[in-house]
């Protein structure tokens, strides 16, 4: 939780429009629930926490709002991929996305995520990481990638 709030603070300080709602406790309950359900992962470098992300095979209310209902249940949703700022731009984010694709055990077809549409660097990151842009809802870009090609 602290890492996510620190990442949100760093983004705010750097005029990046992403996750400002976390600074006021937005998603605290969902974040804790994801941890309890073992959907949240941490990335360590020795004893240092350097990244975190959440993967869920169940649609949150936000996922339903952004992507619509998923009656086939064919997707895994990626939320809150956060790196310590010192690691941004060094390939760790791409390594995490590759690790997800290579290591999660699921019968789902797609990995889906969203981000603020006007966050151009993050949108570009997802495109160069092999995700396909599938539209926009409420100023959030939607992306998906086949898990098994």
């Amino acid at each position: 939780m602290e890492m996510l709030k620190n990442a949100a603070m760093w983004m705010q300080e750097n005029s990046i429009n992403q996750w400002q709602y976390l600074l006021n406790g937005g998603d605290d309950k969902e974040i804790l629930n994801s941890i309890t359900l073992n959907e949240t992962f941490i990335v360590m470098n020795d004893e240092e926490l350097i990244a975190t992300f959440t993967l869920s095979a169940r649609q949150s209310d936000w996922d339903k709002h952004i992507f619509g209902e998923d009656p086939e249940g064919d997707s895994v949703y990626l939320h809150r991929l956060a790196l310590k700022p010192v690691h941004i731009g060094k390939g760790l984010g791409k390594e995490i996305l590759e690790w997800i694709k290579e290591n999660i055990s699921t019968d789902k077809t797609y990995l889906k995520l969203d981000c603020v549409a006007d966050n151009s660097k993050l949108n570009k990151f997802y495109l160069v990481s092999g995700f396909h842009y599938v539209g926009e809802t409420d100023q959030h870009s939607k992306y998906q990638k086949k898990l098994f090609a």
Side-chain angles (χ1 to χ4, degrees), residues 111-122:
L111 177 61
K112 292 183 178 178
L113 60 89
D114 69 273
C115 67
V116 175
D118 68 1
N119 186 334
S120 59
K121 286 184 180 180
L122 191 53

Side-chain angles (χ1 to χ4, degrees), residues 3 11 15 17 24-25 27-29 36 38 41 43 57 59-60 68 76 79 85 88 100 104-106 114-115 123:
M3 180 175 186
M11 286 186 258
S15 301
N17 181 20
N24 298 320
D27 271 1
D28 282 2
K29 185 176 178 182
T36 301
N38 294 318
F41 295 76
V43 180
Q59 272 192 308
S60 67
V76 174
H79 292 282
I88 294 172
I100 290 169
I104 65 163
S105 177
T106 183
D114 69 273
C115 67
N123 279 269

Side-chain angles (χ1 to χ4, degrees), residues 2-148:
E2 180 181 342
M3 180 175 186
L4 290 171
K5 290 185 188 286
N6 287 341
M9 181 64 72
W10 180 86
M11 286 186 258
Q12 183 180 49
E13 291 167 355
N14 288 276
S15 301
I16 299 169
N17 181 20
Q18 192 81 32
W19 292 359
Q20 302 312 305
Y21 63 94
L22 291 178
L23 296 174
N24 298 320
D27 271 1
D28 282 2
K29 185 176 178 182
E30 182 179 328
I31 292 166
L32 292 172
N33 189 45
S34 295
I35 293 168
T36 301
L37 293 172
N38 294 318
E39 296 173 338
T40 298
F41 295 76
I42 58 172
V43 180
M44 304 291 288
N45 183 14
D46 294 322
E47 298 296 316
E48 179 189 14
L49 173 63
I50 61 171
T52 185
F53 60 93
T54 296
L55 290 174
S56 179
R58 61 181 170 77
Q59 272 192 308
S60 67
D61 289 340
W62 178 255
D63 296 325
K64 291 175 187 173
H65 172 72
I66 294 296
F67 289 98
E69 293 281 344
D70 181 15
E72 289 85 35
D74 70 344
S75 300
V76 174
Y77 296 87
L78 175 62
H79 292 282
R80 297 177 292 276
L81 171 59
L83 314 177
K84 277 197 167 177
V86 69
H87 296 286
I88 294 172
K90 297 181 179 177
L92 179 60
K94 190 164 175 118
E95 282 185 54
I96 290 170
L97 293 175
E98 285 300 313
W99 183 90
I100 290 169
K101 188 172 181 185
E102 293 172 9
N103 291 283
I104 65 163
S105 177
T106 183
D107 61 348
K108 307 296 183 190
T109 304
Y110 296 103
L111 177 61
K112 292 183 178 178
L113 60 89
D114 69 273
C115 67
V116 175
D118 68 1
N119 186 334
S120 59
K121 286 184 180 180
L122 191 53
N123 279 269
K124 183 178 178 183
F125 168 73
Y126 288 125
L127 288 171
V128 300
S129 296
F131 284 82
H132 300 281
Y133 175 80
V134 294
E136 184 177 317
T137 300
D138 282 346
Q139 296 147 357
H140 283 78
S141 298
K142 303 182 287 190
Y143 291 95
Q144 70 181 25
K145 181 179 193 176
K146 278 203 166 196
L147 283 168
F148 309 103

